Amino acid sequence: MIWILVFIILAVTGAAALLSLIAPRPVVAESVNLTAAVVDLALILWLLVIVPSRGVVGVDSLLLIDPFGVWVLVCLGLVYLSATVYARGYLRGQGRSPRSLRIFYSLFACFALVMILSPIQNNPGLYWVGIDLTTLISAILVGLEPHRRAIEAAWKYLVIVAVGLSLALIGTVLFYFAGTFVRGASYPMTWESFERIAPKADPTLLLVAFLLVLIGYGTKAGLAPMHTWLPDAHSEGPTPVSAMLSGGLLNCAMLGIVRYLGILRRTSMGGDASRALVLLGVTSLVVAALFITRQRGIKRLAAYSSVEHIGIIALGFGFGGVLGTVGALYQMVNHSLTKSAVFFGAGNAIESYGTRQIAGIRRIGDRFPVMGAAWLAAAVAAVGAPPFGLFLSELTIARGGIASANPWAVGVMGVALIVIFVGFMTHFRKMFFSGPRPQGSAASARQVSLPLTSVAPMVVAMALVLVLGVWWPQPLWVYFTHIAATFGGH
C-alpha cells in the first residue's frame, strides 16, 4: 500500500508537468497543477498515518519512506497546494502570454516532483542528485520574471549553490570512503550502511566529511554565512516560487544535514557535529537580525526572515534530544505555512502598489481589509509571537537548548528574536499605519480587486498556524518523538 501511494504521487506530479507543457490553453495547465497538488497532499497525509516508525525500504533499496522524510513531504505538500492556488490569480494579473504560463506550470510541477523525490532517497548519492536538480529547475523559475534583476539572482543562485553542493558531494564521497576501511572496497551506499559503519570508522574522517556536508547542504538551506544567494533568489523570483523555495526546498536541504548528523551521533564526534550545527544556527539568527532591521524591499525582508527560521530549525536539531528535535519539526511546518502567507501578501502588495519598496506601500489594511488582516497576522506569527504555532515551536527549541547545556545559544537566540521582532514589525507598522488614509482613486496604488485565489491561501494558512498555536495535537507529539529517537533523542 505504501509504495502504491508513493508511485501515484510521483506519477500524478510527473503527469502534471507533461500535461502543462502540451496543454492547449493555460487554464488546463492551471487545473492539472491544482489537481496534482490536491492529490499529492491527500496521499502524503495518508502516508503520515500508515508509515511505521522504523520506515520501509523498497525499489531495490533505492527509496526510503520513513517518518522524517514523510514529515518533510507534508510541509512540501501544504506549500505546493497553497502556491498553486495563489499562482492562478497572481500570474493572470501579470498578463503573461499563454506559452509563458504553460512553461511556468510545467517547470513548477517539475520542481515539486524533484522535491518530492529528494526526501525519499535511500541512497545519499541520489539524494545529492535530487537536491542538485532542484537547483537547476528553481533557478530557471527564478529567471522567468521579466526583469534583469531576476536573471542576475538566478545566476548568483546557481553559482553559489553549485559550489556548496560540490562540497556536499566531496563530503558524501568521504563518508563512503571511510566505510571502505570497515566493509571493504565496495558496499551498498544507503543511509543504513552509513549508520552501521559509523561507530567503527575513523571518527576524524567522518567529522571532516560531515563538516563538508554541513557547509554544502547548509548553503542550499540558506544557513549563514552561506546564505547570500537566498535574499536575491527569494525576492526576485515569482511569488509562488518564493513560497516553494522558502517553505519547501529549505526543509528538503535540512533533511540531508540532519540525516548525517544522526550518523555522527553514533560516534565520539557527535558532540562536535552538533556544536557545528548550533554555531551555524546562531550565526544565521544574528545575520538575519542585523539585515531585517535595515531592509527596504518587502520580499527581501521576507527572505531574511527565512534565514532566521532556518537558523532556528538548525538550533533545534543541533540541540538534539526530544525537545530540540520535536521543536525543530514543529517549526518546519509552522514556518512553511507562515512564510508562504508572508510571501503571498508581499506579492499582492507589489502587484497592487507597483513597487517592491517598503516605503511605497502605505495603509494597505485600509485598501484590502481581508488580505491586510491575514498578512499582518502572518507577520506577527513570523516573529514568533503568541498565539501562533511558531511561538510554541521556538519555546520548545529554547527548552531543548537549556536541557542540552547550551544556554549561551539560547541567550543569543532570545536577543536576536527580540531585535527581529522590533525590526520586522516596525516595517509592517509603516506599511499598515503610516501615511494618509486613501481617498477615492489614490495615485499611490493601483485600484485593483484581489482575486479570491490571491487571498484564500493566506487566510487558510494563518488559520492553521493559529490552530497549531493554541493546540498541539498529541498524535503529532508522539510522531515527532519517534523521529527524535532515530536521531539520539530519549
Side-chain angles (χ1 to χ4, degrees):
M1 173 63 74
I2 290 175
W3 293 112
I4 292 175
L5 296 180
V6 171
F7 293 144
I8 292 175
I9 292 171
L10 297 176
V12 167
T13 313
L18 177 61
L19 292 174
S20 296
L21 189 61
I22 63 176
R25 298 186 307 276
V27 67
V28 177
E30 295 173 351
S31 300
V32 295
N33 257 270
L34 181 58
T35 302
V38 171
V39 172
D40 286 353
L41 180 57
L43 297 184
I44 289 169
L45 292 176
W46 194 350
L47 286 175
L48 186 70
V49 175
I50 67 174
V51 169
S53 59
R54 65 185 182 278
V56 293
V57 175
V59 193
D60 238 1
S61 297
L62 291 177
L63 299 183
L64 167 66
I65 312 298
D66 69 337
F68 187 32
V70 172
W71 184 245
V72 172
L73 291 181
V74 169
C75 299
L76 172 59
L78 290 168
V79 178
Y80 180 35
L81 177 56
S82 61
T84 302
V85 173
Y86 177 83
R88 189 181 186 97
Y90 173 82
L91 295 175
R92 286 183 178 182
Q94 291 186 334
R96 299 193 181 208
S97 67
R99 179 175 177 273
S100 174
L101 289 173
R102 290 197 300 270
I103 292 174
F104 175 88
Y105 279 113
S106 179
L107 288 172
F108 200 63
C110 285
F111 187 30
L113 176 63
V114 177
M115 281 198 287
I116 291 170
L117 275 170
S118 298
I120 64 175
Q121 293 301 318
N122 192 36
N123 185 309
L126 292 180
Y127 167 78
W128 180 89
V129 172
I131 294 297
D132 199 29
L133 285 176
T134 64
T135 304
L136 296 175
I137 297 173
S138 55
I140 296 173
L141 284 167
V142 169
L144 286 180
E145 284 287 81
H147 52 76
R148 290 183 56 187
R149 296 188 308 275
I151 302 297
E152 293 173 0
W155 275 111
K156 184 176 181 181
Y157 173 32
L158 275 175
V159 172
I160 294 176
V161 174
V163 173
L165 290 180
S166 297
L167 296 178
L169 179 60
I170 296 172
T172 303
V173 172
L174 277 182
F175 261 101
Y176 190 86
F177 176 69
T180 60
F181 295 99
V182 179
R183 299 190 58 179
S186 177
Y187 63 94
M189 179 185 278
T190 64
W191 296 113
E192 184 181 6
S193 296
F194 281 4
E195 289 175 0
R196 288 182 177 180
I197 64 100
K200 303 175 184 178
D202 183 347
T204 303
L205 183 58
L206 289 181
L207 180 62
V208 172
F210 173 77
L211 293 177
L212 289 170
V213 168
L214 175 60
I215 295 172
Y217 290 130
T219 303
K220 183 71 175 182
L223 288 170
M226 299 86 66
H227 70 289
T228 51
W229 67 270
L230 188 150
D232 293 319
H234 286 215
S235 62
E236 300 300 339
T239 298
V241 177
S242 300
M244 288 281 278
L245 285 169
S246 184
L249 185 55
L250 299 191
N251 290 335
C252 291
M254 182 57 69
L255 174 136
I257 296 173
V258 177
R259 289 205 191 279
Y260 279 107
L261 178 62
I263 295 169
L264 261 290
R265 282 181 173 155
R266 300 173 183 272
T267 73
S268 59
M269 294 296 182
D272 294 325
S274 296
R275 282 187 285 273
L277 184 55
V278 168
L279 181 60
L280 287 185
V282 168
T283 304
S284 299
L285 274 171
V286 172
V287 168
L290 293 175
F291 280 89
I292 280 175
T293 57
R294 57 189 294 270
Q295 284 310 302
R296 297 179 180 179
I298 183 57
K299 288 187 75 177
R300 288 184 70 86
L301 177 67
Y304 274 106
S305 178
S306 295
V307 175
E308 169 210 350
H309 286 288
I310 202 65
I312 295 173
I313 292 171
L315 282 179
F317 286 122
F319 292 154
V322 169
L323 290 174
T325 305
V326 166
L329 293 166
Y330 207 46
Q331 181 85 359
M332 289 170 76
V333 68
N334 283 298
H335 168 253
S336 295
L337 292 167
T338 302
K339 196 51 55 64
S340 297
V342 170
F343 273 113
F344 295 158
N348 290 336
I350 291 169
E351 293 301 310
S352 301
Y353 284 78
T355 179
R356 293 172 174 265
Q357 301 302 307
I358 295 173
I361 302 172
R362 291 293 183 264
R363 294 285 178 180
I364 191 167
D366 294 335
R367 299 181 186 279
F368 307 105
V370 177
M371 191 281 287
W375 197 27
L376 186 58
V380 173
V383 295
F388 297 100
L390 286 167
F391 173 75
L392 278 183
S393 56
E394 290 173 7
L395 181 62
T396 305
I397 290 171
R399 292 173 59 199
I402 295 172
S404 66
N406 284 286
W408 69 272
V410 176
V412 175
M413 173 182 170
V415 173
L417 289 179
I418 291 173
V419 174
I420 289 169
F421 177 88
V422 174
F424 202 81
M425 295 313 298
T426 296
H427 294 307
F428 272 81
R429 178 188 61 80
K430 294 177 181 178
M431 290 189 291
F432 275 80
F433 306 110
S434 295
R437 293 186 179 276
Q439 296 179 0
S441 56
S444 60
R446 301 175 188 171
Q447 296 301 304
V448 296
S449 59
L450 295 173
L452 179 62
T453 55
S454 296
V455 180
M458 299 175 62
V459 175
V460 173
M462 294 321 301
L464 290 174
V465 175
L466 178 60
V467 170
L468 293 175
V470 299
W471 174 55
W472 189 323
Q474 180 64 18
L476 273 186
W477 180 273
V478 175
Y479 190 85
F480 292 162
T481 56
H482 284 312
I483 298 176
T486 64
F487 298 117
H490 301 285

